[in-house]
Amino acid sequence: MTTRITLFTGVVAVLLCSLTTAVLMFALNRFVTKSLIEEITAAGGRVAAQMEQGNLEYPLAGLQSRKIQVVDGQGRVVASTPQLRGKPRMATFPPEGTMAATSVVCHGVFPRGECDVVVAQRAQRAGEKWIVYSASPMIPPLVDPRVATVAGGSVMLLAVAITYLGRRVVIASLRPVVAIRAELDEINAASLDRRVPVSDSDDEIHDLASSVNRTLTRLETAMERQRQFTADASHELRTPVAGLRAQLEEAQLHPGDTDLGDLLAHSLADLDRLQAIITDLLLLARLEGGAPKPDERVDLATVVRAEVSRRMDPRKVRLLLAPEVSVDVVHGQIDRLITNLLDNAERHARQTVVVEVRPNGDSAELIVDDDGEGIAEADRERIFERFTRLDAARSRDRGGTGLGLAIARGIAQAHHGTIEVTASSVGGARFVLRLPLATSSNNGREQARISS
C-alpha cells in the first residue's frame, strides 16, 4: 500500500507541478507579448508623430533595432528601417480608424519560419492618410530557453520533494496499522487475551483499533463460552450414554437374569434424555445463529391460558391475566418459552405457582412466581447459563436438561425482550419476561384480571 500511495502521490505531484508551470509560462508569455506590443506601438507612434510634424528624417536610420515602414496613401513604401530597405510593405491590413491595429504576420518581408507581431497606426501627411507599420518577432512560447530550463528543473525538484514527503506521511500514518497487524499476528500465535495498541489520536486508526479490540473481546468470550459449552455438553451426554451402555452390557452378560421390559423401559428413558438434550442444543444453536422474524400477533394471556390448560395439574397454577396484551412473536418459540418457565416453577414450587400477564409502558410483562426456596442473589444470572448446577434445591437433579432457562432467555432476546429473576412475594423465585407490545393493539389499558 505504501508503494502504491507513494507512486500515486508522485504522479499527481508531477502532473500538478507541470500544469502549474505551464499556466505560469503561458501567463508570462502573455505578459511579455503585451509589453512587446506596447513597445513597438510606441516606436511606431513616435515615427507617426515626427512625420506629421515634418521632423522625420529619411531613411529611418535611428531605428535599427525596430522594423518600421511608412506607407503613403497610394500604398507605396516611402521610408523603412535599414533591415527592410528595398522590400515591399510588411502587411496590408489598415488601422481601425484612429486606433492601432495588431496582427501576426508569418510571410512576406520576414525570414522563412519567423512570425512577427505587426502594429498598424494612422498618420496624416500633406492631407493624405498614411500608415506606419512597426513589427518585432513574436515571443517564443517558453519566452526564453533558460527560463524553461529553470522551470522544468523546479518542477522535477518540487515533484520529488512532494513524493518524498508524501511517503513519509504515509509511513507515519500507517505505523499504527502496522502495529495492529503485528499484534494480531502475535495474538493468533499466542492467545486471545491480548489487545492491539490504541493510538491517542482521535482518528480512523483509533476507531479501527477500538473496533478490533471489541471484536477480540467478543471472540474471546464466544470461544470461552464454546469451550465451556463443549465440556458441559460432553459431560451431560456422557451420563445417559454410560447408563444405557451399562444396562446393555449387564443384559449381555446375564441374559437369563434380565427383565426385558425393565431393560427397555430404562433404555428408552435414557434415550429420551439424550433426545431432549440434543433437541435443546439444536434450538440454542438456531437462536444464536439468528432467530426468524416474528410472524404472528398473539394475545399473551390467551397463549398462557392455553399452555396452563395442558398441564397435568392446572389447578396448581393461579392466573392473573390482563386481556388484550398483544405481542408479535414466533408462535412456536413463545410457547416453548412459557413452557420452560412453567416447568421450572412447578419443579421447585411447594404448592402454588402464580402467573400474571400485564402491560407496563411499552412492554408486555409475563410474571411467573413460585413458593419454593428461591434463588440466591449471586446465582440469579448464573441460572441462565447452560448446564448450570446450583447447590440449592434448584438443582437439575430434580429433572430437566439444564438448558430450559438458557433457551428461555435466548428466545426472549430473539424477540427483543428481556428475562430476569428476583425474589417472589409468595416466598420463592419470580421470573419476569418483558416483550415489546404490538404497536397497533389496545395493549390492555383495562387491567381486568381473571383469576382461576
Side-chain angles (χ1 to χ4, degrees), residues 273-292:
R273 170 81 171 165
L274 282 171
Q275 185 177 10
I277 293 175
I278 293 171
T279 300
D280 286 349
L281 289 175
L282 290 175
L283 177 55
L284 279 172
R286 286 197 297 269
L287 291 173
E288 291 178 352

Side-chain angles (χ1 to χ4, degrees), residues 6 13 39 44 57 68 83 92 150 208 263 272 288 407:
T6 301
E39 184 179 345
E57 297 180 359
I68 297 179
Q83 63 267 48
T92 58
V150 172
L208 172 63
L263 173 63
D272 288 342
E288 291 178 352
I407 291 173

